[in-house]
Amino acid sequence: MKADKDLDKLIAEKIFGWTHEESDLLLNGFHPWSPSTDIELAWQVVEKLRNTNRVFCLASVVEHMGKKSALMWVAKWEMHDPEYRMEFALSADAPTAICLASLKAIG
């Protein structure tokens, strides 16, 4: 999934618990809310999910594709509730990686 309004809508509703109507207003307003493209808003997603049972990590990595390579971001959540589980996402930009990994982390 790429950074777009659909991803932002999932974040609004599944992580922040906003209603369909509330998320529509935020996503289509004068200053659209877009955590999948805005790093400051993406960190709000991390803060919303962060607790003693979840650990978050963001790292810059190099993805090798044959003779080519690309700089990518990997976002990772480790959960210890009650058993260990890890979810991660890889993207060309940090906000998208954060949003995708966060959606995976909540199931």
Side-chain angles (χ1 to χ4, degrees):
M1 180 177 275
K2 62 182 180 164
D4 64 11
K5 286 187 179 183
D6 291 336
L7 178 54
D8 294 333
K9 188 172 190 62
L10 285 172
I11 293 291
E13 294 174 4
K14 294 188 178 276
I15 293 178
F16 287 92
W18 298 340
T19 66
H20 178 72
E21 292 78 19
E22 289 171 328
S23 63
D24 279 347
L25 284 173
L26 283 169
L27 296 171
N28 298 310
F30 186 67
H31 295 287
W33 183 83
S34 181
S36 67
T37 60
D38 183 323
I39 192 65
E40 185 177 348
L41 296 174
W43 278 113
Q44 289 178 11
V45 174
V46 172
E47 290 296 327
K48 179 75 174 174
L49 293 181
R50 193 171 67 118
N51 64 37
T52 57
N53 294 326
R54 291 187 187 120
V55 176
F56 178 77
C57 179
L58 179 68
S60 176
V61 296
V62 177
E63 183 179 47
H64 297 284
M65 302 165 283
K67 293 185 179 185
K68 295 181 180 182
S69 60
L71 289 173
M72 302 291 282
W73 290 96
V74 62
K76 177 179 75 169
W77 283 100
E78 293 182 26
M79 285 74 65
H80 304 273
D81 54 357
E83 296 178 11
Y84 177 81
R85 181 170 65 97
M86 180 182 71
E87 297 291 350
F88 69 94
L90 188 68
S91 180
D93 59 278
T96 302
I98 290 169
C99 289
L100 291 172
S102 296
L103 284 171
K104 289 180 179 181
I106 62 164

